[in-house]
Amino acid sequence: MCEREKAKQILNEIPDYKIGYIVSYLHGVTDGEEIPNAETVFNNKI
């Protein structure tokens, strides 16, 4: 199983209420930003 398939499998196991944190993190990775902290995660949900 490749890394992308593992990531998809893990994502399918994450409860919906935690997905926002994952999406914020992934945006940071793709934009070259740092890992989001509590402030940036909160601001992205507003």
Side-chain angles (χ1 to χ4, degrees), residues 4-18:
R4 187 174 298 270
E5 290 172 354
K6 287 179 189 177
K8 288 178 182 179
Q9 182 180 7
I10 293 169
L11 282 172
N12 287 331
E13 296 172 8
I14 296 174
D16 287 341
Y17 71 93
K18 291 185 177 181

Side-chain angles (χ1 to χ4, degrees), residues 8-38:
K8 288 178 182 179
Q9 182 180 7
I10 293 169
L11 282 172
N12 287 331
E13 296 172 8
I14 296 174
D16 287 341
Y17 71 93
K18 291 185 177 181
I19 292 295
Y21 297 108
I22 304 302
V23 171
S24 294
Y25 175 78
L26 292 173
H27 278 293
V29 170
T30 58
D31 292 340
E33 296 178 4
E34 295 181 11
I35 297 173
N37 58 27

